[in-house]
Amino acid sequence: MSTPLQVYEPFRAGLPPLRKYWRSLWSRRTFISEYSRSELREQHFDSIFGQLWLILNPLMLSAVYFLLIVIIGGSGGAIRYGHLTASLFLFYLVSNSLSGGVKSVTAGQRLILNTAFPRMMLPISATVIAFFKFIPTLLVFMIMRTVLGLPFGWQMLWSIPIILITLIFSLGVAILISTVNVYFRDIASFLPYLIRTLLYLSPILYEASALKPELRVLEHFNPLFSILESWSLSIVHAQTPQLSSMLVATGWALGVLLIGTYFFLSREREFAVRL
Amino acid sequence: MSSLSVSNINHKTGDLAVSVQNLGLTYTTAIDRRPTLKARVKSLGRGTKQTRVVQALDNVNLDVTYGQVLGVIGTNGAGKSSLMRTIAGIIPPTKGRIEVFGSVSTLLALGIGFNPAMSGRANVHLGGLAAGMTRKEIEDHFDEIAEFSELGDAIDAPMRTYSSGMYARLGFSVAATVQPDILIVDEALSTGDAHFKEKSFNKIKELRSEDRALILVSHAMATLREICNDVAWLHKGKLVTRGKPNQVIDEYQDFLHLGKSSAIDEDL
């Protein structure tokens, strides 16, 4: 008698066999790229004007916020504007991942009910889509900082690991929120408030260094604080970010990814009966 | 996770295709169709139950061999769809063990249509990739799928513009065209117009072969009598009988106190 191709047994400790899960996830990477591409195409981001909108949207937003800062705070300047724009662009990577991830599982209902596949592909695709939307804004910022005359330096290379950390964090929150949305379908309507709060608590409209010492406690509670502080230092100021905030950022990102993944995997078996 | 692209070559009649051993499935599901945080907060302290536990399958033992065409019958809520989903690997079992000796293609109640905003073509591709097929395998089958579905130019239109019949046609075409070792069809034969019904019926007959196993869930007793060489009857999560189609179906219809009226027989 031949050996079975597939064996389905109850999960131990509520988790699927991880090695097998990872293997089937890896073998379906073409799905993730194909899905992201067709999703972007469907949102018209393959056209010139679609791409333009992608850049125009945060650009106009940064212009509006700049106006606000100048009126309230009185201080403008190229660095300030550069900081605002760069931070908003990175913030959008996280926020796009959140808003794309939240419905990724519930929207995949038909596929989930009909096909056996690692469900985690769905929130992963949402993060990949958010990353694809982020790339053109990065190019725009590079042009912009040249025009603004911001300092250049090798320290700007620190932004590469920071983007990586942000991606890990974005993936973590996308996975986490997609699971929560299965149980509470109205989470998506709370999301704008959450994102807005996160925006104001993060060093985007202000610089981390300008914050009053008593408000610095924010950095311990806001996972984006250390990420955005390091990001601004490296890509706007061309300075080496502090090792401590890089470590805190990495810790947050990995922690959120780990918790999100555990939560997702332990609930995944229920998705088909909960949708 | 099942993968359509992995396929054992040369199955012989009588070889085991699927082995279901002491299968039990219990799950918790939300009572609300769309559970929300708002509703949960509002009902705080009232002690209203939000979830209920469903015992979908209980100690089911079932072997399917290659060459067999197994019909699965039972009343609504008997656990037919749950059984199909556990065999397909969509829901992991709570108890017992399922062994599958080949590639599985599923056409379950909901059929295809992952993202209604995308075209039928994109949905077929995404569905195939999710099922573990390679791009090339999908490309190879695509023309055949499109032709069998008779969708014509509509294949490139967004799926939200499709009628339910078109959904069903595309779903059936995908499941039946990819040449799986084991094909599971859940109540999908009863959709589409008369012409497509006839066509899919013939396709199923054509797919009956020595080296393939078919599992059909249907309420269309006449169809099952004609196509199947084995029928299993499920009731409230338990396997009642398994045996020759006519015998089991007669028993089932007696149980329903309905007799052999043409209304049930032709419930196609």
Side-chain angles (χ1 to χ4, degrees), chain A residues 111-141:
Chain A
L111 199 62
I112 286 174
L113 289 178
N114 205 26
T115 315
F117 67 96
R119 319 298 192 210
M120 205 175 274
M121 295 187 330
L122 300 171
I124 291 176
S125 304
T127 306
V128 171
I129 292 169
F131 183 59
F132 277 134
K133 290 181 180 174
F134 170 70
I135 295 169
T137 62
L138 195 60
L139 294 176
V140 167
F141 178 70

Side-chain angles (χ1 to χ4, degrees), chain B residues 104-157:
Chain B
V104 179
S105 170
T106 46
L107 177 57
L108 304 182
L110 267 167
I112 190 195
F114 167 41
N115 186 339
M118 291 182 191
S119 66
R121 183 187 297 272
N123 271 297
V124 169
H125 272 91
L126 287 173
L129 289 173
M133 294 170 77
T134 63
R135 264 206 193 103
K136 194 180 171 301
E137 283 170 323
I138 301 166
E139 224 28 82
D140 288 349
H141 284 122
F142 189 82
D143 288 339
E144 204 183 328
I145 292 170
E147 194 190 337
F148 192 86
S149 68
E150 298 177 12
L151 284 176
D153 293 337
I155 194 91
D156 286 311

Side-chain angles (χ1 to χ4, degrees), chain A residues 168-189:
Chain A
I168 294 172
F169 179 74
S170 307
L171 184 61
V173 290
I175 289 172
L176 195 64
I177 201 144
S178 67
T179 321
V180 175
N181 193 52
V182 174
Y183 297 91
F184 303 113
R185 302 291 167 85
D186 52 351
I187 284 298
S189 11

Side-chain angles (χ1 to χ4, degrees), chain A residues 54-86:
Chain A
L54 217 53
I55 298 156
L56 269 179
N57 189 30
L59 217 53
M60 288 193 296
L61 211 65
S62 77
V64 171
Y65 281 126
F66 188 64
L67 210 65
L68 187 79
I69 291 171
V70 172
I71 290 168
I72 298 176
S75 70
I79 290 261
R80 199 75 193 273
Y81 190 54
H83 163 81
L84 182 62
T85 314

Side-chain angles (χ1 to χ4, degrees), chain A residues 5-131:
Chain A
L5 204 63
Q6 292 292 333
V7 176
Y8 302 115
E9 281 183 313
F11 289 170
R12 272 189 212 100
L15 289 182
L18 292 180
R19 192 184 295 235
K20 200 171 134 197
Y21 193 90
W22 171 251
R23 257 207 313 269
S24 67
L25 194 62
W26 179 246
S27 70
R28 281 166 174 81
R29 57 192 183 279
T30 35
F31 171 88
I32 296 171
S33 67
E34 183 86 24
Y35 177 46
S36 322
R37 215 173 310 156
S38 41
E39 188 72 26
L40 285 169
R41 199 180 312 133
E42 191 230 314
Q43 294 175 21
H44 302 296
F45 289 134
D46 57 333
S47 72
I48 297 275
F49 287 104
Q51 295 251 358
L52 207 62
W53 171 247
L54 217 53
I55 298 156
L56 269 179
N57 189 30
L59 217 53
M60 288 193 296
L61 211 65
S62 77
V64 171
Y65 281 126
F66 188 64
L67 210 65
L68 187 79
I69 291 171
V70 172
I71 290 168
I72 298 176
S75 70
I79 290 261
R80 199 75 193 273
Y81 190 54
H83 163 81
L84 182 62
T85 314
S87 306
L88 266 183
F89 283 167
L90 194 70
F91 183 79
Y92 258 60
L93 170 57
V94 180
S95 114
N96 276 336
S97 183
L98 259 173
S99 50
V102 65
K103 286 193 175 154
S104 58
V105 170
T106 40
Q109 188 186 20
R110 275 173 176 272
L111 199 62
I112 286 174
L113 289 178
N114 205 26
T115 315
F117 67 96
R119 319 298 192 210
M120 205 175 274
M121 295 187 330
L122 300 171
I124 291 176
S125 304
T127 306
V128 171
I129 292 169
F131 183 59

